[in-house]
Amino acid sequence: MTAAEHFFRFGQSEGRSPNAALDLTAYLAANDDVRAAVEAGTFDALTHLLTYGFAEGRDLGNGVRLTDFAADSAFTDAVAAQDAHAALARMAAVAPFFPDFQAPAGWQPATDTPIPTDFTPVDGAVLRVPAGVEIPEGMTLSRDVFLPYLTVTVEEEVLRFGGNAEGEITLQRVDGTLVFTREGESVTAAGPAAEIALGDASLAAPAGALDGTAVTGTGTVILSGLEAGTDLSGRPPAST
């Protein structure tokens, strides 16, 4: 028996929600007419969602509206085929990636949660990778679908950047760790680095933040906080 089948057999009657993307209490709170009908005994919340809510583009009450899925064929095809299991599964797979998604109390996505790279958002909408979800090595997410993100990896004390964020990278040393920011996304280096492989990017940092760390690549390093006449001859190279 699948998780979805178990829910439809037992969980629904026990007042449970079928997945983290759907909080039936929040659904009722966001839809007064549905709540009134449920209180009158006309139907239960999930039956309304499956029968009417999908087609009506209802607000789920957790920062996600079903109209957010209007351009996604995997969802709309499931709704058109009246395949509730498939529609709920698609909603569960994508909803946590909406920037305004409000997760249930105590819920955290697994680090290996699949990233819905095949999702088609409505015009002007984008997804965000939730905190704690790891982006597989070598995967680059389209800026047409996902908000800018920055990755920082350290292997054999060589630090490298990844992700689809663009523009200048800024560096701060906080309690001995290196914190990098690009397009508003901040990432803490997972370990000590003797070298920063900058590539062709630009890096801005306080002068002291790079002490003991070499910077290689063809990019530009902008140091702040230097006093006039500071001797840079002993500092790590800024490029190779």
Side-chain angles (χ1 to χ4, degrees), residues 42 55 68 85 91 106 116 145 147 160 167 209 235:
T42 305
D68 296 331
H85 291 184
M91 186 170 61
V145 180
L147 288 170
R160 292 182 170 84
R235 293 185 178 272

Side-chain angles (χ1 to χ4, degrees), residues 9-226:
R9 285 195 186 184
F10 307 107
Q12 181 177 354
S13 63
E14 296 168 359
R16 299 178 183 176
S17 292
N19 52 56
L22 178 60
D23 181 338
L24 293 176
T25 300
Y27 180 63
L28 293 180
N31 297 277
D32 292 340
D33 59 330
V34 180
R35 183 177 71 251
V38 170
E39 292 173 349
T42 305
F43 39 57
D44 61 78
L46 186 62
T47 297
H48 178 275
L49 173 67
L50 301 182
T51 307
Y52 306 106
F54 286 149
E56 295 172 358
R58 290 280 183 159
D59 187 343
L60 295 180
N62 60 358
V64 178
R65 295 185 62 92
L66 290 173
T67 51
D68 296 331
F69 292 82
D72 183 59
S73 60
F75 180 81
T76 57
D77 288 351
V79 172
Q82 298 183 335
D83 187 342
H85 291 184
L88 284 172
R90 184 59 168 175
M91 186 170 61
V94 179
F97 290 82
F98 283 102
D100 295 330
F101 174 69
Q102 299 164 16
W107 180 82
Q108 291 289 336
T111 57
D112 61 350
T113 297
I115 298 174
T117 56
D118 61 339
F119 180 73
T120 303
V122 296
D123 288 346
V126 288
L127 302 181
R128 177 192 292 276
V129 178
V133 174
E134 294 183 357
I135 300 172
E137 185 176 353
M139 176 182 286
T140 300
L141 305 181
S142 169
R143 290 174 65 93
D144 293 334
V145 180
F146 290 88
L147 288 170
Y149 69 97
L150 174 68
T151 62
V152 175
T153 58
V154 180
E155 295 183 3
E156 298 181 353
E157 295 192 345
V158 178
L159 184 150
R160 292 182 170 84
F161 301 105
N164 66 359
E166 300 175 349
E168 184 179 83
I169 302 169
T170 61
L171 163 64
Q172 294 288 332
R173 189 179 289 270
V174 180
D175 297 329
T177 61
L178 302 179
V179 180
F180 298 90
T181 302
R182 195 176 202 181
E183 274 199 272
E185 294 294 303
S186 296
V187 178
T188 300
E195 175 187 335
I196 297 175
L198 186 59
D200 60 359
S202 296
L203 177 68
L210 287 173
D211 282 349
T213 305
V215 180
T216 61
T218 59
T220 302
V221 177
I222 304 169
L223 298 178
S224 61
L226 290 175

